[in-house]
Amino acid sequence: MAALPETMRAIDPDETGGPEVLRVVERPVPRPGAGEVLIQVAAAGVNRPDVVQRKGGYPPPPGAPTIPGLEVAGRIVALGPGVESEWLAQPVCALLAGGGYAEYAVAAVGQCLAVPPGLPLMEAAAIPETLFTVWTNLFERAYAVEGDVALVHGGTSGIGTMAIQLGKLFGLTMIVTCGSDEKCARAIAIGADHAINYRTADFVEEVKQITGGRGCQVVLDMVGGDYVPRNLACLADDGRHVSIAVQRGAKAEVPIWDIMRRRLTLTGSTLRPRSAAFKSLVADELAATVWPFVREGRLRPVIDRTYTLEEAALAHARMESGDHVGKIVLLVGEQGSAASL
């Protein structure tokens, strides 16, 4: 194993603010602890929580790096105590609690998934955060099963595009909302069964029409606020509503009697603060149930644009513009832009 450098390039802003605070700085190369690996990062996914953290609204959980970045892909270059030697030099993608916008990042080995041949590391870096989030919320918290109808807001976001693909692989009918006719067309091309332009149509009425008045079994909501009671109106009896973000507000007024009468379930989750043990269990489930689709090429992330680490500010500006479709990725190392392994 080659000697590791002492320092690395990273994005680690010392102040909150706009995208301009994202500048490359020099930081010590982290060292893996027990059960951890050190990944030489080829690419890192950009996610909405990174933007919220940059603005000061989503501080890293205790013990997590201040460097943003919740997912990476690259090769393992060092092992912490207790990690089997077979992991060394393996190409992986990994879910992180932070630290992805850097040349090196530490991950719990249980949160790593082996990158199969033919999958570019740039694409692999765009998988973990949305895959873990959609799987744990759509299938574990909402108990979505084959034949269910699911409504997902933000159909062309990273979460939305992953939900569309994963839902179709497991036999769901996918209804999504988007902010333009063009985005609706893109969502349909990605695999959505129905796409509703929420700017020109009432999605509650549209869902009723699509489902013949029965409603949907699941709503996956990242909007919050005044969308919540409207989402509940979309649900069929015994329907499940899962909140994963609150872009329009963290409070909502809900019809309690209607929830009781129709036996609705309201739940939600945040992934980042969960324990490494929990995330490792999820990774094991994904390796068994979803990763075969990745190996076969049937599940691929939708990539909007790529930027270099030095262009992180542009990547965040792109995300905040709302014009992107799918995932935005930072190319960190030479392998990030390689066509395949």
Side-chain angles (χ1 to χ4, degrees):
M1 182 176 64
L4 295 172
E6 293 296 323
T7 62
M8 65 180 183
R9 295 182 304 133
I11 302 290
D12 189 12
D14 55 9
E15 60 182 334
T16 59
E20 69 277 358
V21 305
L22 301 179
R23 296 180 292 270
V24 174
V25 295
E26 190 175 88
R27 290 290 182 265
V29 172
R31 296 298 189 261
E36 296 179 334
V37 297
L38 181 67
I39 300 170
Q40 185 173 14
V41 177
V46 176
N47 293 281
R48 182 70 60 177
D50 303 342
V51 173
V52 181
Q53 176 177 325
R54 190 203 75 223
K55 293 179 175 180
Y58 193 25
T66 56
I67 296 169
L70 303 177
E71 59 186 349
V72 298
R75 291 187 183 273
I76 294 175
V77 293
L79 310 176
V83 179
E84 296 179 357
S85 60
E86 287 79 6
W87 283 99
L88 193 62
Q90 291 299 310
V92 296
C93 59
L95 183 72
L96 312 175
Y101 291 14
E103 291 181 310
Y104 294 87
V106 165
V109 69
Q111 294 169 211
C112 295
L113 291 164
V115 177
L119 177 64
L121 291 173
M122 177 269 291
E123 292 188 24
I127 293 177
E129 171 68 12
T130 54
L131 179 57
F132 277 69
T133 298
V134 172
W135 180 260
T136 55
N137 288 287
L138 187 59
F139 293 97
E140 293 189 341
R141 301 204 70 81
Y143 303 106
V145 295
E146 185 176 358
D148 279 353
V149 179
L151 170 64
V152 178
H153 294 297
T156 54
S157 66
I159 292 288
T161 53
M162 177 60 73
I164 290 170
Q165 295 183 84
L166 208 54
K168 295 309 296 178
L169 286 170
F170 286 90
L172 308 185
T173 296
M174 301 301 297
I175 306 173
V176 300
T177 64
C178 305
S180 69
D181 290 342
E182 292 77 14
K183 284 194 171 186
C184 285
R186 289 292 303 276
I188 294 295
I190 291 165
D193 296 283
H194 306 275
I196 303 165
N197 184 341
Y198 64 81
R199 299 186 190 278
T200 59
D202 180 348
F203 70 80
V204 177
E205 292 303 317
E206 291 292 319
V207 169
K208 288 180 180 179
Q209 182 176 348
I210 291 167
T211 61
R214 294 181 297 274
C216 57
Q217 283 69 47
V218 175
V219 174
L220 183 64
D221 179 53
M222 63 187 80
V223 183
D226 59 358
Y227 262 47
V228 175
R230 298 174 68 193
N231 292 337
L232 298 184
C234 293
L235 285 173
D237 290 354
D238 297 296
R240 290 85 69 191
H241 181 285
V242 186
S243 296
I244 60 172
V246 289
Q247 295 178 19
R248 283 174 68 108
K251 294 183 179 181
E253 183 174 323
V254 298
I256 297 175
W257 174 246
D258 197 45
I259 293 170
M260 296 164 57
R261 181 178 62 84
R262 300 200 291 123
R263 303 173 303 281
L264 305 181
T265 298
L266 278 70
T267 185
S269 73
T270 55
L271 180 61
R272 191 181 188 186
R274 299 298 297 269
S275 68
F278 171 80
K279 294 173 186 175
S280 296
L281 287 174
V282 176
D284 289 343
E285 294 175 5
L286 293 173
T289 58
V290 177
W291 221 239
F293 295 120
V294 177
R295 288 195 295 268
E296 295 166 7
R298 297 175 62 190
L299 179 63
R300 286 288 191 269
V302 176
I303 304 298
D304 177 76
R305 288 188 186 179
T306 63
Y307 296 87
T308 65
L309 187 64
E310 288 79 8
E311 295 172 324
L314 295 177
H316 274 224
R318 173 72 176 170
M319 174 161 283
E320 289 188 274
S321 75
D323 294 333
H324 62 291
V325 174
K327 292 299 294 284
I328 298 168
V329 177
L330 298 179
L331 303 180
V332 181
E334 294 181 359
Q335 298 177 19
S337 57
S340 62
L341 295 171

